[in-house]
Amino acid sequence: MRTTVGQATATPPRWCVHELFAEQAAARPGAVALEYGELKVSYRELDTRANQLAHLLREFGVRPGSAVGVCAVRGPEMVVALLAVLKAGGHYLPLDPEYPADRLAFMLADSGAELVLVQPEYADHPGLADRPTVLLAPDGAAAADRPTDAPASTATAADLAYVMYTSGSTGRPKAVGVTHRNVHQLVRRGRFADLDAGEVVLHVASLSFDAATFELWATLCSGARVAIMPAGIPSAAAVEAAIRAHGVTLVLLTAGLFQHVVRTRETAFATVRRVLVGGDVLAPTEARAVLAQGVELSNVYGPTETTVFCVVRRGVTEAETLGAVPIGTPVPDTTAAVLDQHGDPVPAGECGELVIGGPVVARGYLGRPALTAERFVPDPQAAEPGARRYRTGDLARRDADGTLHYVGRADQQVKILGHRVELGEIEAALGTHPEVRSAVVTVHRTPAGDKQLVGHVTVTEALGEPVGAPLRAYLRDRLPDYLVPTAWVRLDELPLTSNGKIDRAALPAPAPTATATDDARPAPDGPLEQAVAEVWQELLEVGAVAADDDFFELGGHSLLATQVVALLCERFPVELPVSAVFEHPTVTRLAAELLRALTDHVAQLSDTEVESMLTQVSEG
Amino acid sequence: MADEDTDERTYYVVLNDEEQYSIWLAEREVPAGWTREGTEGTRQECLDHIDRVWTDMRPLSLRRRMEQASQGA
């Protein structure tokens, strides 16, 4: 179906994401498109505001081929911004405001983005320096005087819809370019999810994660409703509350978040019709719990390079959860080959590299010709001459009946909480620290069974002991949080194999962290430190916790940090951001932060409120 | 992958009608819609060559359409 050269100016009808959306907006202008807390935005209102902003973007010169950064958190403004970029003919580049300045600056330079749409609170983000910005005001003020009708569509299905960065093994993140045709295939042609207009889909993914493509565009191009979770890493309680408040019927979650939510709130999904889980291996115990509640569960597989997901097991059965749950079969028009190292299909039951073909295959890695040529290769099985297929680097096997099973990775890529992590990227970043001689990063299981990144380093004496805190702080200025190791092992020398390569198998596991049973360690002191320590013990499934223990070195990660905050906010009348755990990772420091938040809270109360609070505390 | 570091087989540089480049094992028949660019060598030699010559990664039809659009503007 490739556009032939002679007809290149002919626009295929309604293939672009914004055109599919506009069809729905015309068909059901009064229907609710977005819900965010108490706020509801209709299809007409979303369409109108995006049209106005698109006119403004055109004035800035946005056209097909233009990358436009969107630095915003989940919310209606973000959706307006994305849609406006597409309507103007450009493609969007998600810029997570939580990312370090270096990372955003790299993405802006690498993608060639000429303009950034930014929420006012992030306008001074150091990563955006020197780029022209347009502020996204909640009332659409920036473009309020622009025409409300859509600018003439200049983009075609072959143009990019968005660019998404994924971890790169050499230390440089790579930009996957995804076209309108790719998204069209996911949201309409594939018709996988049979979304109808009555559906309410939870938007819980970060925009830098391509699950958001499905949550937003599959929903809005089907006339259904998006229920937007508040910004930040969601806690299990917040996911459950949003599901109930908005009457959510469908959710797509990473395997890590799914497991976390079901463990914490077992019936969180009981009222949801369909749950899709992807990004990592589906946890069988939690899968069975959800199946017992009558929920339809799907296991979905797909890298960003094949547009969210391309292989699906819809309707996982309880019997399938007794072993590794299969990833299923390809979505319509998509092929999945399991190949040996010569590129030949392996027999049923044997393991090989999973290679995906069809219209879901993205354009490639922007600005990376060799890497693109290596991974996006000729597809000899395609009906369409000249078509390419994508070598996933994932190992899979196929049953005689065609069902695919995920086996593992062929390289050093791992998954942490649904994020793709190239260990080489973290090692490269560590290597730039002046006191680090050599570094290897591995994955370790914590006592609670979660995956944890471990940094094994040889360092100069100038770094001091322990090495974890300074190295973590160094990486947090350069990498997103999910790429920062939480446990550290200092070595005199890295173990080598007989042929001189680093022997990963011989690397020691992180030492079990010393705890308060160790007489030399300070015990938590006072009610706040004790409360923090109790919450950690419960969540981390560890014994006693010392006052100077570090949450992350005990196996904590971002999802557990949301639980720490949620549990402390249940005990104390405070609002604590999740970032408090990252910034104050020891018991003593987090308790001090808790005290500060409590003091702030009390200062705002009337005398009567203070008295009533003191009564509650003394009774509790 | 580890075996790719030591891959000494001969590859061709190939490209399709959209002038998208890739590599193809020389011992195998080039698939329909792909032509040999002329370069052959190890995997790494072919990829290094592609890094030098594939400077505009947009598909050919898209490049032509955008050129027409900018001339018409």
Side-chain angles (χ1 to χ4, degrees):
Chain A
M1 290 290 285
R2 187 152 36 89
T3 314
T4 57
V5 173
Q7 299 166 331
T9 50
T11 307
R14 296 184 298 281
W15 268 28
C16 289
V17 176
H18 52 283
E19 292 167 332
L20 295 167
F21 168 79
E23 273 187 344
Q24 295 297 333
R28 57 189 91 247
V32 174
L34 309 175
E35 281 190 21
Y36 182 62
E38 297 291 306
L39 183 71
K40 289 181 170 63
V41 179
S42 70
Y43 269 83
R44 180 193 291 114
E45 194 182 345
L46 176 56
D47 194 38
T48 303
R49 286 183 48 195
N51 286 342
Q52 290 181 311
L53 186 54
H55 281 286
L56 181 67
L57 294 177
R58 282 275 171 87
E59 293 163 30
F60 276 92
V62 173
R63 60 185 192 288
S66 304
V68 180
V70 175
C71 187
V73 295
R74 277 193 301 271
E77 286 80 54
M78 185 194 79
V79 183
V80 169
L82 302 177
L83 197 50
V85 172
L86 299 179
K87 281 171 178 276
H91 54 273
Y92 59 82
L93 163 71
L95 296 170
D96 188 331
E98 296 295 318
Y99 278 14
D102 283 4
R103 185 73 159 205
L104 293 192
F106 168 81
M107 286 157 62
L108 282 168
D110 185 64
S111 66
E114 293 153 14
L115 183 69
V116 179
L117 295 173
V118 60
Q119 284 179 311
E121 52 268 50
Y122 306 114
D124 295 327
H125 196 299
L128 307 180
D130 303 333
R131 298 279 158 172
T133 54
V134 172
L135 293 184
L136 294 167
D139 55 2
D145 56 350
R146 299 303 191 285
T148 55
D149 58 340
S153 188
T154 51
T156 69
D159 282 299
L160 295 178
Y162 58 84
V163 168
M164 212 156 268
Y165 278 83
T166 68
S167 187
S169 58
T170 58
R172 180 178 162 196
K174 45 194 199 261
V176 182
V178 176
T179 64
H180 284 274
R181 186 194 188 203
N182 296 149
V183 183
H184 172 267
Q185 182 64 26
L186 172 80
V187 306
R188 292 298 286 276
R189 270 295 300 132
R191 269 315 206 185
F192 152 71
D194 301 330
L195 274 170
D196 64 43
E199 215 86 49
V200 183
V201 178
L202 191 67
H203 174 32
V204 56
S206 152
L207 187 58
S208 348
F209 189 58
D210 79 345
T213 305
F214 177 83
E215 295 172 342
L216 295 174
W217 304 129
T219 308
L220 294 173
C221 295
S222 305
R225 183 180 300 199
V226 180
I228 306 175
M229 288 281 297
I233 305 163
S235 70
V239 169
E240 182 177 43
I243 286 170
R244 300 291 186 273
H246 300 289
V248 168
T249 61
L250 189 151
V251 294
L252 168 61
L253 294 171
T254 62
L257 184 57
F258 169 76
Q259 183 178 30
H260 174 70
V261 172
V262 178
R263 270 191 196 171
T264 318
R265 302 263 169 172
E266 186 167 323
T267 57
F269 301 116
T271 57
V272 173
R273 281 206 292 140
R274 283 185 280 168
V275 175
L276 281 58
V277 179
D280 206 338
V281 176
L282 176 59
T285 309
E286 287 73 16
R288 279 193 292 279
V290 166
L291 288 175
Q293 296 160 19
V295 177
E296 183 192 294
L297 184 64
S298 298
N299 195 20
V300 304
Y301 162 89
T304 304
E305 291 86 340
T306 59
T307 323
V308 192
F309 50 77
C310 54
V311 178
V312 175
R313 173 56 128 210
R314 185 168 173 180
V316 170
T317 63
E318 194 181 339
E320 285 169 335
T321 65
L322 299 176
V325 179
I327 55 175
T329 49
V331 297
D333 301 338
T334 301
T335 60
V338 182
L339 305 180
D340 66 16
Q341 59 170 330
H342 304 289
D344 288 320
V346 301
E350 283 187 25
C351 179
E353 184 180 11
L354 186 55
V355 182
I356 302 292
V360 291
V361 175
R363 187 189 286 174
Y365 301 117
L366 304 186
R368 309 286 294 273
L371 195 58
T372 303
E374 185 184 17
R375 309 303 295 189
F376 294 81
V377 296
D379 185 354
Q381 265 93 50
E384 175 191 354
R388 298 179 305 163
R389 57 185 180 182
Y390 173 68
R391 295 182 52 194
T392 64
D394 285 323
L395 300 175
R397 65 184 163 78
R398 189 196 300 272
D399 291 344
D401 71 356
T403 302
L404 291 159
H405 297 260
Y406 177 82
V407 176
R409 279 299 294 178
D411 57 17
Q412 294 291 327
Q413 187 191 101
V414 296
K415 286 289 186 92
I416 301 286
L417 301 175
H419 291 285
R420 270 161 67 164
V421 173
E422 290 284 1
L423 299 176
E425 177 170 9
I426 308 167
E427 290 163 0
L430 275 172
T432 64
H433 191 292
E435 309 304 337
V436 172
R437 289 209 182 93
S438 54
V440 177
V441 178
T442 61
V443 177
H444 179 74
R445 291 270 175 188
T446 66
D450 293 316
K451 283 192 263 187
Q452 175 185 38
L453 288 171
V454 182
H456 307 259
V457 290
T458 64
V459 296
T460 67
E461 287 182 6
L463 192 66
E465 281 280 358
V467 297
L471 292 180
R472 220 168 52 225
Y474 180 79
L475 290 184
R476 286 198 72 214
D477 286 341
R478 286 160 182 81
L479 300 174
D481 281 335
Y482 67 86
L483 290 176
V484 179
T486 50
W488 298 86
V489 179
R490 182 183 175 163
L491 299 166
D492 294 330
E493 276 177 56
L494 293 178
L496 298 179
T497 62
S498 54
N499 55 17
K501 288 190 169 181
I502 291 169
D503 187 357
R504 290 178 170 268
L507 288 165
T513 313
T515 63
T517 50
D518 193 339
D519 288 342
R521 310 283 311 283
D525 187 24
L528 293 183
E529 288 194 1
Q530 279 165 10
V532 170
E534 280 167 27
V535 165
W536 288 15
Q537 280 170 270
E538 179 188 336
L539 294 174
L540 298 170
E541 298 176 29
V542 293
V545 172
D548 60 354
D549 266 335
D550 181 298
F551 178 71
F552 297 99
E553 288 178 8
L554 292 181
H557 54 70
S558 55
L559 286 177
L560 288 174
T562 68
Q563 288 300 111
V564 169
V565 168
L567 291 175
L568 289 176
C569 294
E570 276 175 21
R571 291 191 182 200
F572 302 99
V574 289
E575 295 274 328
L576 267 187
V578 177
S579 60
V581 185
F582 288 95
E583 284 155 20
H584 310 280
T586 68
V587 171
T588 304
R589 291 178 57 192
L590 189 59
E593 185 61 15
L594 185 58
L595 177 63
R596 200 194 54 72
L598 276 168
T599 313
D600 282 359
H601 176 74
V602 172
Q604 290 165 12
L605 297 177
S606 66
D607 290 348
T608 332
E609 286 171 317
V610 173
E611 271 175 37
S612 120
M613 194 178 99
L614 286 173
T615 315
Q616 278 176 20
V617 170
S618 56
E619 284 170 358
Chain B
M1 281 197 289
D3 54 68
E4 286 172 3
D5 293 340
T6 54
D7 190 350
E8 291 301 323
R9 294 174 294 178
T10 302
Y11 287 82
Y12 296 143
V13 171
V14 293
L15 70 172
N16 63 13
D17 291 349
E18 290 282 15
E19 295 187 356
Q20 292 171 314
Y21 285 77
S22 193
I23 58 173
W24 190 251
L25 258 184
E27 67 203 45
R28 307 177 69 91
E29 190 187 341
V30 175
W34 292 86
T35 49
R36 288 176 55 186
E37 180 256 9
T39 305
E40 61 177 89
T42 64
R43 172 184 196 83
Q44 198 55 50
E45 284 164 355
C46 289
L47 291 174
D48 288 345
H49 176 76
I50 290 171
D51 236 1
R52 286 191 296 273
V53 298
W54 195 10
T55 50
D56 187 339
M57 292 180 69
R58 292 172 301 167
L60 179 64
S61 59
L62 187 66
R63 268 183 275 155
R64 291 200 170 147
R65 186 173 55 76
M66 289 171 76
E67 279 160 22
Q68 284 172 4
S70 62
Q71 281 161 9

